[in-house]
């Protein structure tokens, strides 16, 4: 081989990728795919709770039915009309009045975030987020070239006074939040604060993106209406949902409910991204919703996950060192903890991996200055007994 070939310059990557860090959760999922590891890292539903028979039967009905060939064909970008009608009915039952024409089916709610960023954010636009917030949303907004500004939070989510100040100071394009069983903290914003947030963002003329993948996974207390259900939300609140937590993440199906003023732009963005979400998966999801008692299925999920949350929260006082704090979520998938003395939980993770137990260090969830003494623990993947075993391993690491 000639020296000219060996010295050939490598073509450059796009500049917009330079400030986007890889997700530590995705890296941990690849690293931990080995027997013996008890991982509290990924926000993974429990696979033994998937409705495997129901999903298999749904695909069979589609592929053996009269419209099987249509289910293998190209389809409208907006999505399967039957599926959208069923999603609309479920949202309406939760207080978010929705029609078929309000919805766009997406390849998971993560794609919905990408479409929102494409349609609503120019390079340099400001996005306000909770501090901490969902790390894949940070990746999405950074890839769009936005400037992400954290807004302080408390035990009830985004602080309204801090938000009002940031709206005046930063003039953002949008506000992004996970108000129900937030990722990573597990916190839920109360009703009155939601009403305040909808009102103040409407007054400032700013988009609000409500990411709601966990809202149906409630284990305690009364449901709180989504932001999109509040008066005044129809003009500026976009609501994102997913089948990943109530059906299965492998379906890669989500939805985006948006005001009529922005839905055409989101549809064009999706056309450019993938033309449409998998036709057969949408048809199977519609068949699953039609034939399954979904409410009973969700109740079974909540019953199992409640036991797993309780097992984790009950054990933490004996696992974490004195002076630690942690959340006790009413639902969702996550407990958020802070250790005393300002340790770096990324360093702690290295020791934990040697003991075959894992969590996610908290620093990646911050848009601004990170609190490195924080960590996220997911409780949904394992049985209460295995949670106990994993936390015992973590306790030994913390004692050492």
């Amino acid at each position: 081989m000639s020296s000219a070939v060996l010295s050939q310059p490598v073509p450059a990557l796009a500049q917009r990728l330079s400030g986007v860090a890889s997700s530590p959760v995705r890296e941990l999922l690849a690293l931990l795919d080995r027997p013996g590891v008890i991982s509290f890292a990924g926000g993974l539903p429990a696979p033994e709770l998937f409705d495997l028979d129901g999903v298999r039967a749904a695909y069979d009905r589609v592929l053996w039915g009269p419209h099987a060939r249509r289910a293998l064909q190209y389809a409208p970008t907006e999505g399967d009309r039957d599926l959208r009608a069923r999603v609309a009915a479920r949202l309406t039952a939760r207080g978010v009045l929705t029609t078929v024409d309000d919805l766009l089916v997406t390849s998971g709610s993560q794609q919905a975030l990408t479409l929102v960023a494409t349609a609503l954010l120019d390079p340099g636009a400001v996005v306000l987020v909770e501090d901490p917030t969902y790390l894949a949303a940070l990746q999405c907004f950074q890839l769009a070239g936005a400037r992400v500004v954290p807004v302080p939070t408390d035990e009830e989510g985004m602080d309204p006074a801090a938000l009002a100040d940031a709206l005046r100071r930063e003039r953002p394009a949008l506000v992004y939040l996970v108000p129900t069983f937030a990722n990573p903290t597990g916190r839920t914003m109360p009703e009155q604060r939601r009403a305040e947030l909808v009102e103040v963002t409407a007054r400032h003329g700013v988009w609000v993106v409500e990411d709601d993948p966990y809202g149906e996974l409630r284990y305690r207390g009364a449901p709180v209406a989504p932001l999109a259900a509040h008066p005044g939300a129809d003009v500026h609140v976009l609501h994102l949902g997913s089948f990943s937590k109530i059906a299965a993440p492998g379906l890669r199906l989500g939805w985006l409910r948006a005001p009529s003023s922005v839905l055409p732009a989101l549809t064009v963005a999706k056309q450019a991204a993938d033309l449409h979400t998998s036709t057969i998966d949408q048809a199977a999801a519609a068949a699953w919703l039609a034939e399954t008692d979904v409410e009973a299925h969700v109740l079974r999920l909540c019953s199992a996950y409640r036991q797993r949350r309780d097992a984790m929260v009950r054990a933490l006082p004996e696992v974490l060192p004195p002076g630690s704090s942690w959340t006790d979520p009413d639902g969702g998938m996550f407990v958020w903890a802070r250790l005393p003395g300002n340790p770096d939980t990324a360093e702690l993770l290295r020791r934990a991996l040697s003991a075959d137990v894992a969590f996610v260090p908290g620093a990646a969830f911050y848009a601004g200055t990170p609190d490195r003494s924080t960590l996220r623990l997911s409780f949904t993947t394992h049985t209460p007994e295995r949670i106990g075993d994993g936390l015992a391993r973590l306790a030994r690491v913390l004692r050492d």
Side-chain angles (χ1 to χ4, degrees):
M1 186 177 294
S2 70
S3 59
V5 172
L6 289 174
S7 62
Q8 182 175 340
V10 177
L13 298 174
Q15 187 63 34
R16 63 176 173 270
L17 278 169
S18 61
V20 183
S22 175
S23 165
V25 175
R26 310 315 301 175
E27 292 176 351
L28 280 170
L29 286 177
L31 177 66
L32 299 173
D33 189 20
R34 66 179 197 262
V37 173
I38 300 178
S39 174
F40 303 122
L44 304 182
E48 71 273 16
L49 299 179
F50 294 158
D51 181 17
L52 182 58
D53 291 340
V55 172
R56 183 187 289 124
Y59 277 94
D60 283 346
R61 279 194 297 278
V62 171
L63 289 173
W64 290 99
H67 305 298
R69 295 185 185 278
R70 184 190 303 169
L72 297 174
Q73 185 58 279
Y74 287 113
T77 301
E78 291 81 359
D80 181 292
R81 192 168 184 84
D82 185 20
L83 179 59
R84 285 186 289 149
R86 296 183 185 281
V87 170
R90 289 180 59 77
L91 284 173
T92 298
R94 295 179 62 201
V96 185
L97 299 179
T98 305
T99 71
V100 168
D101 295 328
D102 296 325
L103 292 167
L104 180 67
V105 177
T106 58
S107 300
S109 59
Q110 186 65 37
Q111 188 195 39
L113 265 181
T114 301
L115 300 180
V116 166
T118 300
L120 302 183
L121 298 178
D122 291 316
V126 173
V127 177
L128 301 183
V129 301
E130 297 159 297
D131 197 32
T133 193
Y134 175 45
L135 63 88
L138 294 177
Q139 287 181 305
C140 179
F141 299 141
Q142 290 162 355
L143 190 60
R147 184 166 65 89
V148 184
V149 176
V151 177
T153 59
D154 58 22
E155 295 306 310
E156 296 183 337
M158 187 177 281
D159 179 86
L163 172 61
D165 179 65
L167 288 168
R168 289 190 296 268
R169 185 181 68 250
E170 300 290 349
R171 302 180 65 83
L174 67 84
V175 177
Y176 168 82
L177 69 166
V178 187
T180 308
F181 316 136
N183 184 356
T185 65
R187 296 169 182 152
T188 295
M189 181 179 288
E191 194 80 34
Q192 181 57 39
R193 187 172 290 195
R194 292 175 187 232
E196 292 176 30
L197 187 146
V198 170
E199 190 277 329
V200 72
T201 51
R203 188 155 27 90
H204 282 265
V206 61
W207 296 110
V208 175
V209 177
E210 177 184 25
D211 204 350
D212 188 31
Y214 315 106
E216 295 187 73
L217 299 180
R218 175 171 284 278
Y219 321 133
R220 176 176 59 212
V224 183
L227 294 176
H230 283 263
D234 280 348
V235 174
H236 72 299
V237 176
L238 292 78
H239 184 89
L240 281 55
S242 174
F243 282 102
S244 293
K245 308 307 184 292
I246 64 167
L251 289 172
R252 300 314 304 135
L253 286 173
W255 59 86
L256 172 54
R257 179 191 184 275
S260 58
S261 62
V262 72
L263 200 54
L266 293 163
T267 304
V268 170
K270 183 166 174 61
Q271 288 170 357
D274 65 356
L275 301 183
H276 63 83
T277 294
S278 166
T279 314
I280 188 169
D281 293 338
Q282 291 186 70
W288 182 75
L289 288 173
E291 298 296 328
T292 302
D293 186 340
V294 180
E295 303 311 318
H297 173 68
V298 171
L299 284 174
R300 285 192 292 272
L301 294 179
C302 289
S303 177
Y305 291 158
R306 180 186 299 112
Q307 295 176 43
R308 298 174 188 208
R309 178 208 58 188
D310 291 348
M312 176 171 283
V313 172
R314 197 163 48 237
L316 287 179
E318 302 301 321
V319 173
L320 302 182
S324 299
S325 61
W326 57 88
T327 57
D328 181 2
D330 290 337
M333 306 180 94
F334 306 111
V335 169
W336 180 250
R338 189 182 190 282
L339 305 181
N342 299 313
D344 187 343
T345 56
E347 293 295 326
L348 177 63
L349 175 62
R350 278 192 268 275
R351 291 168 29 217
L353 289 172
S354 298
D356 284 339
V357 63
F359 55 84
V360 183
F365 297 96
Y366 288 89
T369 303
D371 183 346
R372 298 187 181 280
S373 62
T374 55
L375 64 149
R376 191 192 75 178
L377 299 163
S378 177
F379 54 80
T380 50
T381 311
H382 302 296
T383 63
E385 294 74 23
R386 193 148 174 82
I387 287 171
D389 292 342
L391 290 178
R393 296 178 189 182
L394 181 59
R396 288 193 291 273
V397 170
L398 289 167
R399 282 196 298 270
D400 294 340

